[in-house]
Amino acid sequence: MKSRKLSRSRSRTAIVTAAAASVVAGVALVPNWSAGAAVVNDPTVDASTKATFQKLADAVFTDRTQALVHGATTKQSTSRFAGDVRLSSTRARDEKSALSELRGRQSSIAKLGETYSAGNTKVTLDATRVTGRTAKADVTETTTLTYAKATGGAPKTTGFQAHHELTFKADQQGTWQLSNIQDTDTGGLAVNTLSKPAVKAPAPAPDDGNTTPDAPRAATTRNPVAVPKTSTAYDYKAMATYAEKYWNVYNTAYPDYNGHADGGDCTNFVSQSLKAGGWKHVPGYTYDYTKWFGTADIQSDSFVGVNEWSWFAQNSKRTTPLANVYQAEVGDVIQVDFDRDGAKDHTMIVTYKANGIPYVTYHSNNTYRRSLSSLIASYPNAYYYAYRT
């Protein structure tokens, strides 16, 4: 479906042995041959070089995390590593720009009353692929941020996983330089994501003869009049428990749409959570948005598609719109249209609420208890939609 969204990762076996590596700042490095040395025509990637790739990636993303932490300093990738590991000159400039952007995001989030007191990032190297003088390294970033002054029952941490493809180029002496970083999660909704999430084609019109219900946008101003939940039809705690159990893993009872050509796993994940809390299947034609069902073998478009889910949710009367996103409670659903083109991009479920702030959990980037304040600060110009389930 054109409106399905989210992430991917890749794998492949790397090539063997290379020249002996040096150790600089505790990191294994490919030797930097002196001027006049023989040109290395076919640089290879051995275990030591892979370790260098991984540690440089760890340094880069740790710096990005620290740029979001109040009072923290960033120094690893752009100082200790630059010129040693080495970032290419263009990449070094890009990283300085990235850190500046993220410090600005830290400031924007702080204005909404939220700061991070600590951050921890770990990067694992998943696969490497070498073609001539170019190496591609697929890595998984796992980051935890600690909320500062978490009071009144607020969660202490938030976390996410993100996948990236790093491109290294070997110079004429065989020294590898990091030249490019590409986010490979379709959704691109990590708090340290630099560019806006990928957009999609306009939402497809349903072909079943039904009238498409148009969800009203929700305001994003703080401290609206509360709208407590009164329905007892569903188990909202079960919805949250399911989402928080599977936020960074995938239930094998359902297909995984991360990296899917037509989109990703965000709505599929939310539908699973709603089902865990009592939403029942409405069987029928797969493309009929008035139907809703999902198993390991077959899923309706309304189960996995961002816009199709919205159409079903409204038409079925299983949801009602909320005037303000901050009115959302546990088990409610929030969607976002980043480019304001009328077609929604992303679906999330509220799994926690404290001090008037909903915290959402979602797939791609796989994210646990991210505050709504952080999202709005990161994407202040997006359109938001809130659904009371």
Side-chain angles (χ1 to χ4, degrees):
M1 298 301 99
K2 291 183 178 179
S3 55
R4 297 180 186 177
K5 298 279 152 220
L6 269 53
S7 92
R8 68 172 181 247
S9 59
R10 304 173 185 171
S11 63
R12 191 175 169 186
T13 310
I15 301 176
V16 291
T17 54
S22 305
V23 177
V24 177
V27 180
L29 306 176
V30 176
N32 188 359
W33 301 102
S34 61
V39 172
V40 179
N41 293 320
D42 298 303
T44 55
V45 176
D46 63 4
S48 294
T49 308
K50 289 181 184 179
T52 303
F53 290 170
Q54 182 271 326
K55 292 192 176 186
L56 177 55
D58 193 277
V60 167
F61 293 112
T62 293
D63 266 5
R64 292 186 181 184
T65 297
Q66 294 307 305
L68 293 165
V69 175
H70 181 70
T73 57
T74 55
K75 59 184 179 181
Q76 294 193 64
S77 63
T78 54
S79 59
R80 184 192 309 174
F81 288 93
D84 288 333
V85 171
R86 82 170 59 136
L87 281 75
S88 69
S89 58
T90 299
R91 187 71 247 164
R93 288 194 299 269
D94 289 345
E95 282 308 304
K96 288 182 180 178
S97 176
L99 297 181
S100 178
E101 179 180 336
L102 290 171
R103 291 187 192 101
R105 183 169 299 170
Q106 177 200 145
S107 177
S108 297
I109 294 172
K111 289 178 181 177
L112 290 179
E114 178 177 309
T115 56
Y116 306 120
S117 60
N120 180 63
T121 292
K122 294 182 180 179
V123 173
T124 57
L125 179 65
D126 302 322
T128 55
R129 304 177 302 286
V130 181
T131 304
R133 310 183 70 78
T134 299
K136 301 280 189 178
D138 297 323
V139 302
T140 297
E141 170 197 3
T142 302
T143 290
T144 301
L145 289 160
T146 301
Y147 289 117
K149 300 178 181 178
T151 60
K156 295 181 179 180
T157 63
T158 181
F160 67 87
Q161 285 186 333
H163 302 89
H164 314 277
E165 180 187 77
L166 279 61
T167 301
F168 293 85
K169 301 278 189 180
D171 63 20
Q172 292 300 305
Q173 286 72 45
T175 301
W176 294 99
Q177 298 183 26
L178 175 60
S179 61
N180 188 58
I181 298 173
Q182 178 69 43
D183 296 337
T184 56
D185 290 315
T186 310
L189 270 176
V191 68
N192 67 351
T193 297
L194 299 173
S195 57
K196 71 176 183 179
V199 298
K200 73 294 164 197
D207 58 2
D208 53 16
N210 293 300
T211 302
T212 307
D214 188 20
R217 296 201 305 269
T220 58
T221 52
R222 289 290 300 272
N223 302 315
V225 175
V227 183
K229 281 197 168 184
T230 57
S231 172
T232 58
Y234 303 115
D235 187 341
Y236 301 112
K237 182 179 179 180
M239 294 177 183
T241 298
Y242 181 94
E244 294 192 350
K245 177 180 179 180
Y246 290 105
W247 77 269
N248 63 344
V249 295
Y250 291 81
N251 187 345
T252 56
Y254 299 92
D256 171 8
Y257 284 104
N258 274 350
H260 195 274
D262 287 334
D265 203 62
C266 64
T267 307
N268 181 40
F269 173 66
V270 168
S271 288
Q272 292 170 35
S273 302
L274 295 171
K275 185 176 171 181
W279 276 35
K280 302 299 183 185
H281 283 174
V282 181
Y285 183 48
T286 302
Y287 297 101
D288 182 351
Y289 76 83
T290 65
K291 311 303 179 185
W292 184 85
F293 52 90
T295 67
D297 301 317
I298 188 171
Q299 305 81 38
S300 65
D301 283 359
S302 59
F303 198 90
V304 298
V306 179
N307 293 283
E308 292 86 346
W309 181 89
S310 176
W311 298 338
F312 170 79
Q314 296 173 86
N315 184 77
S316 65
K317 308 300 182 185
R318 289 190 180 181
T319 67
T320 55
L322 292 168
N324 190 299
V325 289
Y326 283 100
Q327 292 171 328
E329 302 284 344
V330 171
D332 290 341
V333 173
I334 293 175
Q335 292 187 316
V336 190
D337 174 6
F338 294 106
D339 56 356
R340 304 193 297 183
D341 67 349
K344 302 169 188 65
D345 300 291
H346 193 63
T347 309
M348 303 165 285
I349 188 167
V350 177
T351 59
Y352 200 86
K353 188 169 186 179
N355 304 324
I357 300 175
Y359 293 81
V360 290
T361 297
Y362 53 86
H363 272 184
S364 304
N365 306 104
N366 301 334
T367 296
Y368 171 78
R369 292 188 182 180
R370 182 175 182 179
S371 77
L372 200 58
S373 298
S374 168
L375 274 165
I376 293 170
S378 299
Y379 308 103
N381 297 319
Y383 286 159
Y384 292 83
Y385 303 82
Y387 304 80
R388 168 58 46 85
T389 59

